Amino acid sequence: MDNARAWLEKIHALDFGRTVKIMNVCGGHERSITHAGLRGALPQWVELVPGPGCPVCVCPEEDVYQAMQLALRDRVILVAFGDMLRVPVNVKKGEVRSLAEAQAAGADVRPIASPLDARRIALEHPDRPVVFFAAGFETTTAPVAAMLAEGIPDNLSILLSGRLTWPAVAMLLGTFESNPGKPGFDALVAPGHVSTVMGPEEWAFVVDRHEIPTAVAGFAPESLLASFYSVLRQLKSGECFLDNCYREVAHPGGNPTGRRLLDDTLDIVDANWRGIGIIPNSGYALKPAFGQHDARLLFPDHADPGRRRAGEMPPGCDCAQVVLGKIYPNQCRIYGRACTPRNPVGPCMVSDEGACRIWWAGGVRVAADA
């Protein structure tokens, strides 16, 4: 079916005597859910929980700080995707706290929309070092890998802060011994764009190891509602399988070229997630063969070791709890008070994929206890 109303009717026809929590791990899903008003259209016993689906929100503070210092102290041309520019770091009052403020202080910081923009800027300024601060999940890291494989200008280097999506879900499910515990959700809706690159079967571990119903969804309300119905029907019938509700785009095996380029240019390493800590095998790093383009090797490390810790959110900010799906955005202590899109305190209020920014844009303007 491709009719949202029909899917809603099928969901409402199901009868659960308890609350069912469905987690989505994609900021694009959360944006579609909120802007389409799906929470209000679903039965009250369905709870949709936003999870760790915002790469800007989990980009570690030391990486943002390093990018700022490269622009301020090493005088490089620093390029980054636009939503990275306003991500704040913890500094003393009056100090530069974001790339946007570094830009205002005279640093050459430029927002870009594509890795090709970074290449173009490097070619236009052959006499200046250009650093591409590349933060993102598999979908935005794959084009960076493609650019590296094709060859980039000598003056262009990459400050890579790429992350894989599934290890965060594995951590929530207690896969790693250092993070035991129950996940706090009954079913999972997996991101369609990540599945398009990596293959839907990447999420099979949720079903096979943890017996949690899982469905891959696209971004239209129809696909999301189909995925909700699928996992609810699985819970109702006692079945448990991986359903692909985005078959027109997400194919078995994913994108072979994209996966090959990722494998050829990048290594998988343990990585720090802002507010969460180190998650094993969850990050990307340039292979040694591309060391001449690795900004971490080419420039001084300006990051204060004290920044490399879990819980790097500013005082009072509960972004980490929001990212982990433990609270809703408006349950943050400073949501709508100290923290607004005009004056974001935490990264979840900055990015268009951050749950707090999405909820604010969707009309939720006050804290839950207000």
Side-chain angles (χ1 to χ4, degrees), residues 44-214:
Q44 290 187 349
W45 46 264
V46 177
E47 278 193 37
L48 302 180
V49 182
C54 170
V56 170
C57 303
V58 301
C59 180
E61 188 191 42
E62 67 262 22
D63 286 2
V64 181
Y65 186 81
Q66 174 73 359
M68 289 165 46
Q69 299 311 308
L70 291 178
L72 287 167
R73 296 162 65 175
D74 293 291
R75 311 307 294 178
V76 306
I77 300 176
L78 194 290
V79 300
F81 295 127
D83 55 358
M84 289 301 308
L85 267 60
R86 298 185 66 218
V87 175
V89 299
N90 294 312
V91 292
K92 295 178 181 179
K93 188 175 181 179
E95 294 184 8
V96 173
R97 65 190 294 263
S98 69
L99 285 168
E101 290 189 7
Q103 183 185 51
D108 194 344
V109 176
R110 307 185 189 188
I112 60 173
S114 163
L116 295 178
D117 293 334
R119 178 187 176 89
R120 173 183 54 78
I121 290 170
L123 290 172
E124 290 173 351
H125 301 277
D127 57 334
R128 294 189 60 190
V130 179
V131 176
F132 175 21
F133 180 27
F137 290 141
E138 297 94 331
T139 46
T140 50
T141 305
V144 176
M147 183 179 69
L148 281 168
E150 291 174 357
I152 61 177
D154 292 340
N155 63 323
L156 177 60
S157 59
I158 312 294
L159 178 62
L160 185 62
S161 191
R163 297 292 181 267
L164 291 87
T165 313
W166 73 263
V169 176
M171 181 271 293
L172 288 174
L173 291 170
T175 297
F176 303 124
E177 293 181 0
S178 59
N179 293 284
K182 296 181 180 180
F185 54 91
D186 302 294
L188 180 77
V189 171
H193 51 2
V194 172
S195 300
T196 299
V197 176
M198 307 303 290
E201 61 274 11
E202 185 166 73
W203 302 100
F205 78 94
V206 181
V207 175
D208 297 341
R209 299 181 197 172
H210 305 282
E211 298 182 345
I212 292 178
T214 303

Side-chain angles (χ1 to χ4, degrees), residues 337-356:
R337 296 170 174 142
C339 186
T340 65
R342 186 178 292 274
N343 182 37
V345 175
C348 292
M349 190 62 87
V350 175
S351 172
D352 287 339
E353 293 192 344
C356 294

Side-chain angles (χ1 to χ4, degrees), residues 266-282:
L266 307 177
D267 287 326
I268 295 177
V269 297
D270 298 346
N272 188 20
W273 293 52
R274 187 173 188 176
I276 297 174
I278 301 294
I279 300 180
N281 300 316
S282 66

